[in-house]
Amino acid sequence: MKRLLKPQIQKRAEEIKCRMLHCKPFEQPLGVLYQDLRLAGKHEWTVQVYHFLLLYVPNQQKNRLFHPALLQAFLSLGLYEQARLVAQVLAAQNPNDPEIIKLSSSLRSHNENFLPSYTPLASLSKYAASKETNRSAVPSALPQKWQQWLQAFTPDKLQQTGYFEKRKQLARAPLKYRTALLQALDELTCCYLLEQRRAVAALSGALLEILLALLILKKLHKHKIAVEGQKAQDILDLHLNQLITICAQKELLPPNALKLLRTARVQRNFIHPGKELLENSPLSPAGARICFLAVMEIIDVLFSSQAAAR
């Protein structure tokens, strides 16, 4: 796709504005503009176009500016209140549209998963509210293992893991993903230093999925891709094994990184207590370390040659 430039987008928005002011149909060119911006990943520009045109459309006709690409832009930018309004209107207009159904489902998932720290639901637990502490019943010291863990958090230990370098590299990630990546790295490194093996395997898998999706987007310039003859899917909907398969088929990673990835994926199978108890197959410290190292390697591959596109 030809690169979009801001002056071009402004010109097209002005042309749509003129059609609106002259009471001419504008939905078709606006839909094409929204789609072009979505394919380019320019969600901020999509919202800017919407707010610009909102100044010229009668309030009772603002629903004519709504489009699935606008809904996706609001969701991508975390503007959930605006997304909720657009989703309601689009669902009423096209209740069977698969794209609208999928985006509305994503919005519902966010609403279901986002809870404030204290809610009437949390009050069902006796541990939700703060209580008066009986000081005489509090042990005088932390458990010995926990004291050892606290000693792991030093600048030298963090430097040895590569934490500071990785934060600098992830700071060059696209703005849309940057905060989530940095938070995931913080949590992963913390669990790694605390020797929390299951948490390391789980967090590594989640972080690898988004890193590989960004790698595919950077190298192949595709938001959707087919895996093993199946229907094309959004790269963010693919699971780790599918992403590894694409990277192997398209030769996006060096052999050593691929080997680490495949081993890390297998290690995630060992985080389930049932597997450990029934098969006597616990996740080993070495397995957790492989998961951590796989993340470090993929960050290097993604950001070593040049900064990711913003």
Side-chain angles (χ1 to χ4, degrees):
M1 178 180 176
K2 187 177 179 181
R3 182 183 178 188
L4 292 179
L5 300 176
K6 196 66 175 283
Q8 297 172 339
I9 301 305
Q10 292 171 339
K11 180 180 178 181
R12 292 170 67 177
E14 286 286 346
E15 291 172 351
I16 294 170
K17 181 192 79 172
C18 290
R19 297 186 67 86
M20 295 168 63
L21 294 177
H22 289 86
C23 299
K24 295 181 179 180
F26 62 85
E27 286 86 351
Q28 194 275 335
L30 177 59
V32 173
L33 177 55
Y34 278 155
Q35 291 282 30
D36 288 346
L37 290 170
R38 172 161 61 177
L39 289 174
K42 301 293 186 180
H43 300 300
E44 297 91 345
W45 291 7
T46 302
V47 174
Q48 289 173 11
V49 167
Y50 165 71
H51 284 298
F52 170 72
L53 296 176
L54 196 60
L55 298 172
Y56 303 98
V57 69
N59 188 57
Q60 65 274 21
Q61 297 183 26
K62 67 180 182 180
N63 292 359
R64 296 173 66 187
L65 300 177
F66 293 171
H67 188 276
L70 177 63
L71 173 56
Q72 184 175 349
F74 281 141
L75 288 171
S76 298
L77 298 174
L79 303 174
Y80 296 108
E81 287 300 320
Q82 295 93 320
R84 190 174 295 110
L85 172 62
V86 176
Q88 290 173 350
V89 173
L90 293 179
Q93 294 174 346
N94 301 288
N96 299 318
D97 187 291
E99 183 180 14
I100 296 173
I101 292 173
K102 179 180 178 181
L103 291 170
S104 299
S105 176
S106 176
L107 179 60
R108 284 195 300 273
S109 296
H110 170 269
N111 294 337
E112 292 168 358
N113 292 330
F114 179 77
L115 291 173
S117 57
Y118 187 84
T119 66
L121 180 61
S123 68
L124 295 176
S125 170
K126 61 180 179 293
Y127 298 100
S130 59
K131 298 180 180 179
E132 290 295 327
T133 302
N134 181 359
R135 298 299 304 174
S136 62
V138 177
S140 59
L142 290 172
Q144 184 178 2
K145 185 65 175 178
W146 289 29
Q147 294 181 47
Q148 295 173 1
W149 285 341
L150 289 176
Q151 297 172 9
F153 289 92
T154 67
D156 286 343
K157 292 286 181 65
L158 286 170
Q159 182 68 22
Q160 290 172 15
T161 66
Y163 169 78
F164 297 113
E165 179 187 0
K166 298 301 166 246
R167 275 196 68 88
K168 287 182 180 179
Q169 290 174 310
L170 292 180
R172 305 204 311 264
L175 183 60
K176 174 183 173 181
Y177 308 99
R178 190 179 304 158
T179 300
L181 286 169
L182 291 171
Q183 288 176 347
L185 177 67
D186 284 349
E187 293 176 17
L188 173 61
T189 306
C190 178
C191 291
Y192 181 69
L193 291 174
L194 292 175
E195 302 175 8
Q196 304 298 297
R197 299 195 295 270
R198 292 189 182 91
V200 168
L203 286 168
S204 294
L207 191 47
L208 286 170
E209 286 182 351
I210 189 170
L211 288 171
L212 292 179
L214 288 176
L215 179 66
I216 292 169
L217 178 60
K218 178 182 177 182
K219 298 288 188 180
L220 303 182
H221 307 289
K222 292 183 178 180
H223 287 272
K224 291 189 175 183
I225 194 166
V227 186
E228 298 174 344
Q230 299 179 1
K231 184 180 178 180
Q233 294 177 264
D234 192 295
I235 54 175
L236 293 176
D237 288 334
L238 300 177
H239 55 67
L240 184 56
N241 190 45
Q242 292 174 312
L243 293 164
I244 294 173
T245 298
I246 294 171
C247 289
Q249 291 176 346
K250 303 296 184 180
E251 299 182 347
L252 304 182
L253 291 168
N256 64 319
L258 274 173
K259 188 171 183 178
L260 277 173
L261 273 176
R262 287 174 171 141
T263 305
R265 185 188 69 81
V266 172
Q267 297 309 307
R268 287 209 303 182
N269 296 332
F270 295 100
I271 69 175
H272 305 290
K275 188 174 184 67
E276 178 176 346
L277 295 173
L278 296 176
E279 302 180 15
N280 192 27
S281 301
L283 175 64
S284 68
R289 186 164 187 262
I290 290 297
C291 294
F292 184 81
L293 294 176
V295 171
M296 301 294 107
E297 289 292 333
I298 300 307
I299 293 176
D300 277 345
V301 172
L302 185 54
F303 296 102
S304 60
S305 59
Q306 59 182 19
R310 292 183 183 273

mmCIF file of all heavy atoms in Angstrom, residues 237-252:
data_model
loop_
_atom_site.group_PDB
_atom_site.id
_atom_site.type_symbol
_atom_site.label_atom_id
_atom_site.label_comp_id
_atom_site.label_asym_id
_atom_site.label_seq_id
_atom_site.Cartn_x
_atom_site.Cartn_y
_atom_site.Cartn_z
ATOM 1 N N ASP A 237 -4.812 -11.964 16.634
ATOM 2 C CA ASP A 237 -5.693 -13.055 17.048
ATOM 3 C C ASP A 237 -4.998 -14.411 16.994
ATOM 4 O O ASP A 237 -5.555 -15.414 17.437
ATOM 5 C CB ASP A 237 -6.941 -13.110 16.145
ATOM 6 C CG ASP A 237 -7.889 -11.949 16.410
ATOM 7 O OD1 ASP A 237 -7.865 -11.438 17.547
ATOM 8 O OD2 ASP A 237 -8.631 -11.558 15.500
ATOM 9 N N LEU A 238 -3.785 -14.454 16.448
ATOM 10 C CA LEU A 238 -3.077 -15.721 16.302
ATOM 11 C C LEU A 238 -2.423 -16.126 17.611
ATOM 12 O O LEU A 238 -1.983 -15.279 18.393
ATOM 13 C CB LEU A 238 -2.002 -15.603 15.214
ATOM 14 C CG LEU A 238 -2.500 -15.236 13.814
ATOM 15 C CD1 LEU A 238 -1.320 -15.083 12.862
ATOM 16 C CD2 LEU A 238 -3.473 -16.288 13.284
ATOM 17 N N HIS A 239 -2.364 -17.443 17.867
ATOM 18 C CA HIS A 239 -1.689 -17.903 19.075
ATOM 19 C C HIS A 239 -0.211 -18.143 18.775
ATOM 20 O O HIS A 239 0.251 -18.063 17.627
ATOM 21 C CB HIS A 239 -2.361 -19.142 19.666
ATOM 22 C CG HIS A 239 -2.498 -20.294 18.720
ATOM 23 N ND1 HIS A 239 -1.423 -21.003 18.230
ATOM 24 C CD2 HIS A 239 -3.609 -20.864 18.180
ATOM 25 C CE1 HIS A 239 -1.849 -21.966 17.442
ATOM 26 N NE2 HIS A 239 -3.176 -21.898 17.376
ATOM 27 N N LEU A 240 0.543 -18.452 19.811
ATOM 28 C CA LEU A 240 2.001 -18.475 19.712
ATOM 29 C C LEU A 240 2.491 -19.463 18.661
ATOM 30 O O LEU A 240 3.402 -19.144 17.879
ATOM 31 C CB LEU A 240 2.610 -18.805 21.075
ATOM 32 C CG LEU A 240 4.140 -18.769 21.160
ATOM 33 C CD1 LEU A 240 4.686 -17.416 20.729
ATOM 34 C CD2 LEU A 240 4.595 -19.081 22.583
ATOM 35 N N ASN A 241 1.921 -20.656 18.625
ATOM 36 C CA ASN A 241 2.393 -21.656 17.665
ATOM 37 C C ASN A 241 2.185 -21.190 16.227
ATOM 38 O O ASN A 241 3.037 -21.403 15.357
ATOM 39 C CB ASN A 241 1.675 -22.985 17.902
ATOM 40 C CG ASN A 241 2.294 -24.117 17.106
ATOM 41 O OD1 ASN A 241 3.506 -24.274 17.059
ATOM 42 N ND2 ASN A 241 1.457 -24.903 16.447
ATOM 43 N N GLN A 242 1.055 -20.538 15.953
ATOM 44 C CA GLN A 242 0.795 -20.020 14.604
ATOM 45 C C GLN A 242 1.796 -18.933 14.235
ATOM 46 O O GLN A 242 2.293 -18.887 13.105
ATOM 47 C CB GLN A 242 -0.636 -19.477 14.528
ATOM 48 C CG GLN A 242 -1.718 -20.541 14.621
ATOM 49 C CD GLN A 242 -3.097 -19.924 14.674
ATOM 50 O OE1 GLN A 242 -3.355 -18.990 15.440
ATOM 51 N NE2 GLN A 242 -4.011 -20.445 13.872
ATOM 52 N N LEU A 243 2.092 -18.065 15.176
ATOM 53 C CA LEU A 243 3.046 -16.987 14.912
ATOM 54 C C LEU A 243 4.446 -17.544 14.645
ATOM 55 O O LEU A 243 5.154 -17.058 13.752
ATOM 56 C CB LEU A 243 3.079 -16.027 16.101
ATOM 57 C CG LEU A 243 1.793 -15.219 16.323
ATOM 58 C CD1 LEU A 243 1.786 -14.603 17.715
ATOM 59 C CD2 LEU A 243 1.636 -14.130 15.266
ATOM 60 N N ILE A 244 4.824 -18.561 15.414
ATOM 61 C CA ILE A 244 6.128 -19.189 15.188
ATOM 62 C C ILE A 244 6.166 -19.840 13.816
ATOM 63 O O ILE A 244 7.177 -19.749 13.090
ATOM 64 C CB ILE A 244 6.422 -20.225 16.289
ATOM 65 C CG1 ILE A 244 6.576 -19.533 17.639
ATOM 66 C CG2 ILE A 244 7.686 -21.009 15.969
ATOM 67 C CD1 ILE A 244 6.695 -20.490 18.816
ATOM 68 N N THR A 245 5.082 -20.474 13.424
ATOM 69 C CA THR A 245 5.007 -21.125 12.105
ATOM 70 C C THR A 245 5.201 -20.110 10.989
ATOM 71 O O THR A 245 5.952 -20.351 10.026
ATOM 72 C CB THR A 245 3.652 -21.834 11.940
ATOM 73 O OG1 THR A 245 3.522 -22.853 12.940
ATOM 74 C CG2 THR A 245 3.536 -22.465 10.559
ATOM 75 N N ILE A 246 4.550 -18.964 11.093
ATOM 76 C CA ILE A 246 4.694 -17.921 10.072
ATOM 77 C C ILE A 246 6.138 -17.431 10.013
ATOM 78 O O ILE A 246 6.724 -17.284 8.933
ATOM 79 C CB ILE A 246 3.749 -16.746 10.370
ATOM 80 C CG1 ILE A 246 2.299 -17.190 10.231
ATOM 81 C CG2 ILE A 246 4.037 -15.572 9.436
ATOM 82 C CD1 ILE A 246 1.300 -16.159 10.717
ATOM 83 N N CYS A 247 6.729 -17.190 11.172
ATOM 84 C CA CYS A 247 8.109 -16.691 11.208
ATOM 85 C C CYS A 247 9.079 -17.699 10.601
ATOM 86 O O CYS A 247 10.053 -17.322 9.941
ATOM 87 C CB CYS A 247 8.513 -16.378 12.647
ATOM 88 S SG CYS A 247 7.680 -14.925 13.330
ATOM 89 N N ALA A 248 8.796 -18.986 10.805
ATOM 90 C CA ALA A 248 9.655 -20.019 10.229
ATOM 91 C C ALA A 248 9.472 -20.099 8.719
ATOM 92 O O ALA A 248 10.451 -20.166 7.963
ATOM 93 C CB ALA A 248 9.354 -21.372 10.883
ATOM 94 N N GLN A 249 8.224 -20.082 8.258
ATOM 95 C CA GLN A 249 7.949 -20.194 6.825
ATOM 96 C C GLN A 249 8.487 -18.996 6.050
ATOM 97 O O GLN A 249 8.993 -19.142 4.935
ATOM 98 C CB GLN A 249 6.438 -20.333 6.602
ATOM 99 C CG GLN A 249 5.854 -21.657 7.084
ATOM 100 C CD GLN A 249 4.344 -21.712 6.942
ATOM 101 O OE1 GLN A 249 3.685 -20.688 6.736
ATOM 102 N NE2 GLN A 249 3.785 -22.909 7.043
ATOM 103 N N LYS A 250 8.373 -17.814 6.622
ATOM 104 C CA LYS A 250 8.811 -16.596 5.940
ATOM 105 C C LYS A 250 10.267 -16.247 6.249
ATOM 106 O O LYS A 250 10.764 -15.221 5.786
ATOM 107 C CB LYS A 250 7.910 -15.424 6.346
ATOM 108 C CG LYS A 250 6.426 -15.647 6.076
ATOM 109 C CD LYS A 250 6.135 -15.790 4.600
ATOM 110 C CE LYS A 250 4.633 -15.911 4.355
ATOM 111 N NZ LYS A 250 4.316 -16.064 2.912
ATOM 112 N N GLU A 251 10.926 -17.087 7.057
ATOM 113 C CA GLU A 251 12.340 -16.885 7.418
ATOM 114 C C GLU A 251 12.557 -15.501 8.027
ATOM 115 O O GLU A 251 13.474 -14.767 7.653
ATOM 116 C CB GLU A 251 13.237 -17.090 6.196
ATOM 117 C CG GLU A 251 13.138 -18.508 5.613
ATOM 118 C CD GLU A 251 14.061 -18.717 4.422
ATOM 119 O OE1 GLU A 251 14.590 -17.716 3.903
ATOM 120 O OE2 GLU A 251 14.246 -19.876 4.019
ATOM 121 N N LEU A 252 11.726 -15.164 9.004
ATOM 122 C CA LEU A 252 11.817 -13.858 9.656
ATOM 123 C C LEU A 252 12.765 -13.862 10.851
ATOM 124 O O LEU A 252 13.087 -12.788 11.380
ATOM 125 C CB LEU A 252 10.425 -13.412 10.127
ATOM 126 C CG LEU A 252 9.319 -13.341 9.071
ATOM 127 C CD1 LEU A 252 8.035 -12.831 9.682
ATOM 128 C CD2 LEU A 252 9.743 -12.473 7.894
#
